[in-house]
């Protein structure tokens, strides 16, 4: 799979009068999502509604939501388990994780919960919407200047991720290649990652030879 980023609608500006009611609605949805008494269908409905609200938020409010979500342990655990179980709403869950990736603490949480290897695994599926959300989440995780974080990210890419990124560099369009090169740069910054990358090149060189 080589993702071809398509037009993503920009978040709409919401009149300020609605912000309070939106905040109340988000709190309500998170309560449902993190409750042990919620059924699977109730959780699913909350994820759909939360995604719908996302497209009506201003950027500053999305950042606030990102911070709120990343600090909610039960929410994070539930989202990761829903992704790993391969639920029907996976692409919408990944979109919410993409929002979490906008927050510095959120990005660290995602690494500690091994979300990166989940994203690389999902990129191999044949579901286009899911692949796009994984691509955008990955793009969000690497688009900043925190060297310590990027080096740690390089530790988590793994063999499968390295192979996917090298394929993207060869086959992807400009945007895809840029993401792949950034990820590979993170791999080179990491001790563990650079060893894997070296082994990959040694193996492919001997196979070609």
């Amino acid at each position: 799979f080589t993702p071809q980023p398509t037009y993503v609608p920009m978040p709409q500006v919401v009149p300020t009068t609605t912000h309070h009611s939106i905040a109340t609605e988000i709190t309500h949805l998170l309560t449902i999502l993190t409750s042990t008494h919620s059924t699977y269908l109730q959780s699913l409905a909350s994820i759909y509604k939360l995604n719908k609200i996302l497209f009506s938020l201003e950027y500053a409010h999305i950042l606030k939501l990102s911070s709120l979500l990343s600090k909610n342990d039960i929410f994070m655990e539930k989202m990761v388990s829903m992704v790993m179980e391969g639920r029907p709403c996976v692409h919408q869950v990944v979109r919410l994780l993409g929002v979490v990736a906008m927050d510095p603490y959120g990005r660290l949480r995602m690494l500690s919960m091994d979300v990166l290897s989940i994203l690389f695994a999902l990129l191999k599926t044949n579901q286009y919407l899911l692949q796009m959300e994984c691509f955008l989440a990955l793009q969000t995780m690497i688009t900043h200047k925190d060297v310590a974080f990027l080096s740690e990210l390089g530790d988590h890419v793994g063999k499968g991720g390295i192979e996917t990124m090298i394929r993207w560099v060869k086959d992807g369009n400009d945007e895809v290649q840029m993401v792949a090169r950034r990820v590979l740069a993170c791999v080179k910054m990491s001790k563990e990652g650079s060893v894997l990358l070296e082994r990959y090149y040694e193996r492919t060189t001997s196979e070609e030879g």
Side-chain angles (χ1 to χ4, degrees):
F1 161 73
T2 305
Q4 303 297 327
T6 49
Y7 168 72
V8 178
M10 287 298 289
Q12 300 298 304
V13 175
V14 179
T16 46
T17 49
T18 64
H19 282 148
H20 180 70
S21 58
I22 285 176
T24 309
E25 175 72 354
I26 287 172
T27 306
H28 171 65
L29 294 173
L30 284 176
T31 305
I32 295 169
L33 268 175
T34 53
S35 165
T36 49
H37 304 296
S38 296
T39 64
Y40 169 64
L41 283 176
Q42 284 172 325
S43 297
L44 198 59
S46 299
I47 288 166
Y48 280 120
K49 285 175 186 169
L50 208 48
N51 269 273
K52 206 173 176 184
I53 288 172
L54 256 187
F55 284 105
S56 68
L57 291 179
E58 294 173 35
Y59 186 69
H61 290 91
I62 292 177
L63 288 179
K64 279 183 185 172
L65 177 64
S66 174
S67 176
L68 179 77
L69 296 178
S70 64
K71 290 176 180 67
N72 190 321
D73 290 348
I74 302 171
F75 170 81
M76 290 295 292
E77 282 160 17
K78 190 156 187 176
M79 292 303 96
V80 171
S81 68
M82 284 183 99
V83 170
M84 291 180 81
E85 287 162 14
R87 297 294 196 174
C89 58
V90 167
H91 77 277
Q92 294 197 323
V93 174
V94 173
R95 188 180 298 149
L96 293 176
L97 288 173
V99 171
V100 170
M102 294 167 83
D103 181 75
Y105 177 67
R107 290 191 283 270
L108 285 169
R109 287 295 308 276
M110 286 170 77
L111 281 190
S112 69
M113 296 175 86
D114 209 20
V115 172
L116 203 61
S117 63
I118 296 170
L119 292 180
F120 284 125
L122 293 176
L123 279 163
K124 292 177 179 170
T125 64
N126 291 321
Q127 299 172 50
Y128 183 74
L129 274 177
L130 177 56
Q131 289 169 333
M132 272 314 305
E133 292 302 342
C134 290
F135 174 77
L136 292 169
L138 183 61
Q139 192 175 37
T140 305
M141 283 185 89
I142 57 163
T143 312
H144 53 95
K145 307 274 189 299
D146 182 349
V147 175
F149 168 78
L150 293 173
S151 171
E152 194 179 332
L153 185 144
D155 287 337
H156 287 78
V157 174
K159 185 169 163 279
I162 288 172
E163 287 171 3
T164 302
M165 293 303 101
I166 287 170
R167 196 167 66 249
W168 283 11
V169 170
K170 289 176 186 167
D171 305 333
N173 63 20
D174 290 352
E175 194 179 352
V176 171
Q177 284 182 2
M178 188 169 71
V179 168
R181 286 198 176 101
R182 276 190 179 160
V183 173
L184 290 172
C186 295
V187 171
K188 285 174 188 167
M189 285 160 66
S190 121
K191 206 172 180 181
E192 208 174 301
S194 50
V195 171
L196 283 175
L197 194 60
E198 216 169 284
R199 279 187 197 147
Y200 172 85
Y201 285 126
E202 279 171 8
R203 197 176 74 247
T204 50
T205 310
S206 65
E207 279 169 10
E208 282 165 13

